[in-house]
Amino acid sequence: MSAYANFISPFARPLYVMLKPIGAVCNLRCKYCYYLEKKDLYPEAKNYVMRDEILEKFIEQYLNSQTMQQVLFTWHGGETLMRNKDFYVKALAFQKKYARGRQIDNAIQTNGTLLTDDWCRFFKDNNFLVGISVDGPQHCHDVYRRTRDNRPSFFNVMKGISLLKKHDVEFNIMGVVNDYNVDFPLEFYNFFKSIDCHYIQFAPIVEKIDGKLASWSVPSEKWGDFLIAIFDEWVKEDVGNYYIQYFDSTLANWVGEQPGVCTLAKTCGHAGVMEFNGDVYACDHFVFPEYKIGNIKNNTLTEMMYSEKQVNFGNDKFDKLPAQCKSCNFLFACYGECPKNRIIETATGEKGLNYLCKGYYKFFNHVAPYMEFMKNELKNQRSPANIMKALKSGSFR
């Protein structure tokens, strides 16, 4: 399941805004976290707690802005479970108040260390999808995902996952790929299979500090090798059983459908984020003053998300691609990926090339024949999982 997709026109896709009910407050201090610094945007804040009137206004406006019968709310942090359960009980009550018969789904992202039986019962009773942040097996996870006093967090996360399983709560995994775990792709993948997680998302970390690439950023070509190693395992054994967001989205682009992840879409801008005080920003990765598009106390979500500023932000993803990208054979497969990663120059000195370009090109070039096969299966109303039979029988060419 993905909460992100691309912006096409004001009414072509449902409006989506992620909520940050506790802002950037978190009980962990993951070294690569890009969000903890966002507290500096609000030096006057005594706390970073979303007030009830902001919560109700958001839920009312969000539901009023939707054109679909099914509406998704996504709760993000910081660490979402640092808000107590009463806050989410109020949120559910507001959703019921303004639903007008629509189906409402909730997804919440957490580092998993604060999960309890009580939280898990609540998530099960209210049909929450829980996203857990895990960076692979212990030796991978604990490199960067540590507590405030620099203790490892892996065992607490695994305890949380055990509680989710105990209460039969639906969950998926988000793993950050960094300079360390990129060298262990199959161990990374098989770990998630070992804990019976069938919906896996992973994201490459690319960060700059004081103008220089952060040491934990994933090397570009290694990112491609990482994807290829996991894909080669997945395509032989796991198509239709384990769902990996990058592979599903790549296939979607291959057949001309909208991908399930915004980074591989042609344009962006439909997926905003609202901070604890009602400030709305263009994107979770662009929570900077210049990308603020308003505050819910002064503007409606519809006004902000369909404003000229936001539409231009979304269209810039494609419009500002360097010539190298626009002439690339795999333009359709990634569209330059996320704008936040466009931090290097092309061979001709043009700015705006994605740091991960070499890795993505390597991956797309490798998977092209497999994607063509699965595309043909879908075209003929057959399952793309047939690729596994073709590989085993030797009929795949």
Side-chain angles (χ1 to χ4, degrees):
M1 170 177 160
S2 172
Y4 299 92
N6 71 314
F7 178 93
I8 302 174
S9 72
F11 303 104
R13 300 190 68 85
L15 176 150
Y16 172 80
V17 181
M18 179 192 300
L19 283 87
K20 300 274 187 176
I22 193 112
V25 177
C26 187
N27 64 315
L28 295 186
R29 288 297 179 269
C30 303
K31 190 170 183 180
Y32 56 63
C33 182
Y34 66 91
Y35 218 85
L36 290 178
E37 66 181 25
K38 303 307 176 185
K39 287 192 291 187
D40 296 340
L41 291 172
Y42 305 102
E44 75 288 352
K46 294 181 180 179
N47 59 52
Y48 301 88
V49 173
M50 184 178 292
R51 300 197 308 271
D52 290 353
E53 58 266 31
I54 296 291
L55 174 65
E56 181 172 11
K57 185 180 287 288
F58 175 87
I59 289 174
E60 179 182 16
Q61 288 193 18
Y62 191 65
L63 284 165
N64 287 342
S65 71
Q66 301 297 311
T67 59
M68 309 292 285
Q69 182 63 24
Q70 187 173 2
V71 181
L72 173 68
F73 284 80
T74 302
W75 309 87
H76 235 269
E79 172 46 46
T80 51
L81 302 192
M82 292 186 75
R83 288 304 311 260
N84 61 33
K85 192 177 69 173
D86 289 345
F87 172 82
Y88 295 101
V89 170
K90 289 177 185 176
L92 293 174
F94 290 141
Q95 289 174 352
K96 184 177 181 181
K97 178 179 178 180
Y98 297 108
R100 301 199 309 276
R102 281 170 290 187
Q103 177 184 333
I104 294 177
D105 296 313
N106 286 279
I108 190 166
Q109 187 70 27
T110 172
N111 60 43
T113 62
L114 300 179
L115 285 167
T116 62
D117 282 300
D118 191 43
W119 271 118
C120 291
R121 281 190 291 266
F122 173 76
F123 292 142
K124 178 63 178 178
D125 291 345
N126 294 285
N127 198 34
F128 271 65
L129 170 66
V130 179
I132 301 288
S133 299
V134 190
D135 289 355
Q138 183 183 3
H139 75 95
C140 293
H141 178 91
D142 282 340
V143 172
Y144 294 120
R145 298 192 66 83
R146 305 182 75 85
T147 64
R148 293 178 182 178
D149 55 355
N150 202 34
R151 290 180 291 110
S153 65
F154 179 79
F155 286 113
N156 285 334
V157 177
M158 294 307 298
K159 179 181 176 182
I161 290 174
S162 295
L163 289 171
L164 291 172
K165 290 182 176 181
K166 172 185 174 182
H167 293 277
D168 195 29
V169 178
E170 185 180 359
F171 73 97
N172 61 26
I173 292 293
M174 167 60 79
V176 171
V177 183
N178 52 61
D179 67 309
Y180 179 81
N181 62 7
V182 71
D183 290 327
F184 304 94
L186 294 184
E187 190 175 349
F188 180 95
Y189 180 45
N190 289 328
F191 167 76
F192 294 132
K193 292 173 65 174
S194 74
I195 62 174
D196 200 31
C197 179
H198 288 256
Y199 296 88
I200 305 167
Q201 304 176 45
F202 36 79
I205 187 72
V206 179
E207 295 291 337
K208 294 184 78 172
I209 299 176
D210 297 327
K212 295 182 180 180
L213 193 69
S215 61
W216 48 79
S217 297
V218 60
S220 177
E221 291 201 57
K222 282 191 175 183
W223 169 238
D225 294 336
F226 177 91
L227 291 172
I228 289 168
I230 294 178
F231 180 86
D232 285 349
E233 183 78 7
W234 174 81
V235 79
K236 289 186 296 184
E237 304 289 343
D238 298 327
V239 181
N241 187 19
Y242 290 88
Y243 297 89
I244 299 176
Q245 188 182 47
Y246 263 106
F247 303 161
D248 293 344
S249 294
T250 297
L251 181 58
N253 274 340
W254 231 269
V255 301
E257 297 292 335
Q258 296 302 325
V261 58
C262 59
T263 57
L264 300 186
K266 184 175 181 179
T267 56
C268 58
H270 97 284
V273 57
M274 191 178 85
E275 272 285 352
F276 69 98
N277 65 347
D279 283 346
V280 179
Y281 293 86
C283 169
D284 186 40
H285 287 283
F286 287 85
V287 178
F288 301 102
E290 60 268 36
Y291 294 101
K292 179 181 171 181
I293 55 176
N295 186 287
I296 199 169
K297 291 178 285 188
N298 306 316
N299 310 98
T300 68
L301 290 173
T302 301
E303 289 171 340
M304 289 183 281
M305 292 302 294
Y306 299 143
S307 66
E308 182 179 2
K309 181 177 181 179
Q310 184 69 356
V311 170
N312 289 340
F313 171 82
N315 289 336
D316 282 349
K317 184 178 191 292
F318 180 80
D319 293 345
K320 293 188 175 180
L321 283 172
Q324 176 178 317
C325 292
K326 290 189 175 181
S327 63
C328 177
N329 293 337
F330 297 119
L331 171 65
F332 73 93
C334 80
Y335 295 106
E337 209 245 4
C338 185
K340 81 176 184 65
N341 295 333
R342 297 178 186 178
I343 58 176
I344 61 174
E345 296 181 352
T346 67
T348 61
E350 190 176 2
K351 294 181 179 180
L353 183 64
N354 197 298
Y355 165 79
L356 296 170
C357 176
K358 287 184 179 180
Y360 276 115
Y361 191 93
K362 196 173 187 179
F363 169 67
F364 294 135
N365 191 55
H366 178 81
V367 303
Y370 303 93
M371 291 296 165
E372 288 294 335
F373 180 96
M374 290 188 283
K375 174 183 177 179
N376 188 62
E377 293 301 286
L378 287 167
K379 181 180 178 181
N380 289 282
Q381 298 183 322
R382 297 190 295 263
S383 171
N386 289 336
I387 184 70
M388 295 185 293
K389 294 179 183 178
L391 287 168
K392 289 175 182 176
S393 68
S395 62
F396 175 76
R397 294 290 184 270

